């Protein structure tokens, strides 16, 4: 459901579509829910999920730290009022010149998952703290992050042992269990693997102090999700089981959980059409599609709730975007239904669209502008 504040904004301001409205009260509430669920963790908000300045300012004020992936994101966080010691440069794929720029701005925490990246950090950001990302399977996640990120534990161990010799501080281990992770138990095997690494490295004289358990906490789309507290309990239980009474400093990097359900995209129906005279399923073309911000509809992985305020009997539809690329189909296999009296020009609400939308919009494919964000 759109919140009262969002509903009022949509009713009072008939702005040109498509656009995203974010209710900052929901973001604040999500921050509190996460803090309550995992009280021992420091929160590093994953800026890429939604870098709207109002969101960054709010989270900075609430005490959040920030996970960034580029110098531009670092600048946005500094601009929002958080000091450099609250920033992690968590992308494992960085240019050496960007690491040097981050270092010059005072950032002292860096991720790596390969020998070459460790080399870059040690040259461009000497004496900073580094953590190594390990691979996970991504099982249970609607948007898995696959083998692109992380390395195997044995390699991570070897590289963390090297780190001290290279003039940086071997600080810890990180992992990400895959985005929109609907199974709270998926953290356990990575926590176990990390605990084993902590013990083995300690035996070799390297004392790691930080475990970064990543993001992955879900937002509610069409399917139900476990409550944030269930994640908190599963993670705490896992930390105690594998680390005993020597649990390191814990970092979480929520993106989707923080902003997903805080935003609604308003879109307009551009065209409703059949492909044949006896075609039973109508194509509904919207003024936003895969290139306008709904990239996570790829393989129909993320299924946003879509609502019309018409009351007609609902009928199955195929939903597509407005661009001249045939990949720009949103949902063809998934069961989406809209009222039979839906008309061209109607406005629809794409709900739970606060995460990974504005940042995933192309700059001007077919001349369509990137979507605007309004925070209320
Ligand atoms: C994208 C990302 C996150 C946030 O992931 P969510 O699934 O949105 O919580 C956290 N950490 C890193 C390193 C990321 O790349």
């Amino acid at each position: 459901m759109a919140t009262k504040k969002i509903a009022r904004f949509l009713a009072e301001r008939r702005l040109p579509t498509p656009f995203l409205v974010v209710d900052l009260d929901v973001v604040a509430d999500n921050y509190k829910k996460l803090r309550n669920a995992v009280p021992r963790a420091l929160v590093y908000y994953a800026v890429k999920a939604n870098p709207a300045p109002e969101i960054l300012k709010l989270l900075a004020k609430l005490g959040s730290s920030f996970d960034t992936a580029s110098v531009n994101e670092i600048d946005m966080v500094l601009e929002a009022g958080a000091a450099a010691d609250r920033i992690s440069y968590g992308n494992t794929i960085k240019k050496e010149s960007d690491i040097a720029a981050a270092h010059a701005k005072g950032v002292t925490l860096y991720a790596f998952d390969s020998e070459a990246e460790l080399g870059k950090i040690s040259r461009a950001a000497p004496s900073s703290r580094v953590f190594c990302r390990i691979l996970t399977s991504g099982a249970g996640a609607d948007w898995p992050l696959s083998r692109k990120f992380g390395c195997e534990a044995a390699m991570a161990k070897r590289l963390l042992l090297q780190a001290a010799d290279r003039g940086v501080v071997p600080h810890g281990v990180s992992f990400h269990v895959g985005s929109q992770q609907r199974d709270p138990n998926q953290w356990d095997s990575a926590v176990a693997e990390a605990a084993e690494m902590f013990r083995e490295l300690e035996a070799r004289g390297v004392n790691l102090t930080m475990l970064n358990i990543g993001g992955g906490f879900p937002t509610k789309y069409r399917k139900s999700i476990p409550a944030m507290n269930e994640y908190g309990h599963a993670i705490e239980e896992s930390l105690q089981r594998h680390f005993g009474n020597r649990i390191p400093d814990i970092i979480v990097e929520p993106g989707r959980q923080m902003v997903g359900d805080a935003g609604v995209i308003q879109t307009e129906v551009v065209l409703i059409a059949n492909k044949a005279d006896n075609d039973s399923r109508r194509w509904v073309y919207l003024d936003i599609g895969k290139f306008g911000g709904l990239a996570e509809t790829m393989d129909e992985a993320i299924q946003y709730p879509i609502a019309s305020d018409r009351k007609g009997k609902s009928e199955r539809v195929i939903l597509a975007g407005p661009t001249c690329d045939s990949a720009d189909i949103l949902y063809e296999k998934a069961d989406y239904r809209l009222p039979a009296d839906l008309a061209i020009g109607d406005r629809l609400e794409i709900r739970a669209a606060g995460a990974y939308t504005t940042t995933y919009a192309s700059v001007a494919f077919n001349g369509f502008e990137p979507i605007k964000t309004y925070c209320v």
Side-chain angles (χ1 to χ4, degrees):
M1 291 300 290
T3 64
K4 277 203 187 106
K5 267 162 82 184
I6 291 178
R8 195 178 331 123
F9 181 90
L10 293 178
E12 287 171 2
R13 311 267 302 269
R14 295 285 289 181
L15 293 165
T17 59
F19 59 85
L20 171 72
V21 201
V22 173
D23 186 338
L24 293 172
D25 293 347
V26 178
V27 178
D29 198 47
N30 287 341
Y31 180 81
K32 279 173 207 140
K33 277 188 186 134
L34 180 70
R35 289 282 302 134
N36 289 337
V38 205
R40 69 162 70 244
L42 275 178
V43 177
Y44 280 68
Y45 171 61
V47 172
K48 71 174 187 288
N50 191 323
E54 296 90 336
I55 294 175
L56 299 183
K57 276 192 197 122
L58 169 69
L59 290 172
K61 197 182 74 190
L62 291 173
S64 184
S65 295
F66 297 88
D67 173 55
T68 61
S70 65
V71 177
N72 277 344
E73 282 191 352
I74 290 169
D75 285 339
M76 288 189 256
V77 170
L78 293 171
E79 190 77 10
D85 63 359
R86 285 161 67 185
I87 296 175
S88 163
Y89 199 166
N91 191 345
T92 52
I93 306 154
K94 304 175 283 298
K95 290 182 183 170
E96 192 162 330
S97 55
D98 287 342
I99 298 171
H103 183 62
K105 290 171 194 289
V107 175
T108 62
L109 184 59
Y110 296 85
F112 71 95
D113 62 5
S114 65
E115 186 152 7
E117 191 74 12
L118 177 61
K120 288 189 232 168
I121 299 167
S122 61
R123 287 188 297 272
S127 61
S128 55
R129 296 164 299 156
V130 297
F131 58 95
C132 189
R133 181 161 170 178
I134 56 173
L135 280 165
T136 62
S137 73
D142 285 344
W143 194 259
L145 299 169
S146 82
R147 287 185 58 82
K148 178 170 173 185
F149 307 105
C151 62
E152 284 182 4
M155 178 182 270
K157 242 173 355 202
R158 180 169 65 75
L159 296 178
L160 284 163
L161 278 171
Q162 276 184 21
D165 294 336
R166 294 197 178 208
V168 287
V169 180
H171 188 54
V173 172
S174 75
F175 61 84
H176 194 300
V177 293
S179 202
Q180 187 68 7
Q181 175 56 262
R182 288 186 289 119
D183 178 2
N185 296 312
Q186 289 294 330
W187 275 259
D188 188 62
S189 59
V191 170
E193 196 165 44
E196 182 63 29
M197 287 177 62
F198 273 61
R199 278 190 293 274
E200 290 176 14
L201 282 166
E202 189 181 21
R204 309 273 304 264
V206 169
N207 286 305
L208 301 178
T209 57
M210 184 277 281
L211 175 64
N212 177 339
I213 62 171
F217 309 103
T219 201
K220 169 126 181 23
Y221 297 108
R222 301 207 303 176
K223 291 179 200 156
S224 66
I225 54 167
M228 199 51 232
N229 273 332
E230 292 185 45
Y231 289 84
H233 289 143
I235 287 166
E236 179 61 24
E237 198 270 330
S238 177
L239 290 171
Q240 290 187 10
R241 188 148 37 86
H242 299 298
F243 283 95
N245 58 3
R246 302 183 58 205
I247 299 177
D249 298 338
I250 301 296
I251 281 180
V252 285
E253 296 177 333
R256 196 182 297 280
Q257 176 271 344
M258 197 68 80
V259 289
D261 65 352
V264 169
I265 287 175
Q266 190 166 61
T267 175
E268 184 182 308
V269 175
V270 182
L271 178 68
I272 302 174
N274 294 303
K275 299 287 174 195
D277 289 335
N278 61 355
D279 196 356
S280 60
R281 250 167 101 189
R282 297 187 299 167
W283 285 70
V284 174
Y285 299 90
L286 308 177
D287 64 2
I288 186 170
K290 274 204 164 57
F291 301 95
L294 304 180
E296 287 197 319
T297 58
M298 206 187 296
D299 299 328
E300 311 194 16
I302 297 296
Q303 299 188 0
Y304 301 97
I306 299 183
S308 156
D309 54 16
R310 288 202 186 254
K311 301 282 178 278
K313 182 172 160 296
S314 68
E315 284 182 355
R316 231 174 127 185
V317 294
I318 297 167
L319 285 158
T323 66
C324 302
D325 187 315
S326 60
D328 194 7
I329 296 173
L330 301 174
Y331 302 115
E332 193 170 6
K333 295 188 207 85
D335 188 351
Y336 270 85
R337 288 161 196 265
L338 285 169
D341 53 346
L342 187 78
I344 290 171
D346 278 9
R347 290 184 176 214
L348 300 176
E349 281 178 20
I350 302 176
R351 293 178 177 160
Y356 302 118
T357 48
T358 55
T359 42
Y360 272 172
S362 68
V363 173
F365 180 41
N366 277 167
F368 294 113
E369 278 178 30
I371 50 171
K372 289 201 173 64
T373 303
Y374 302 92
C375 291
V376 295

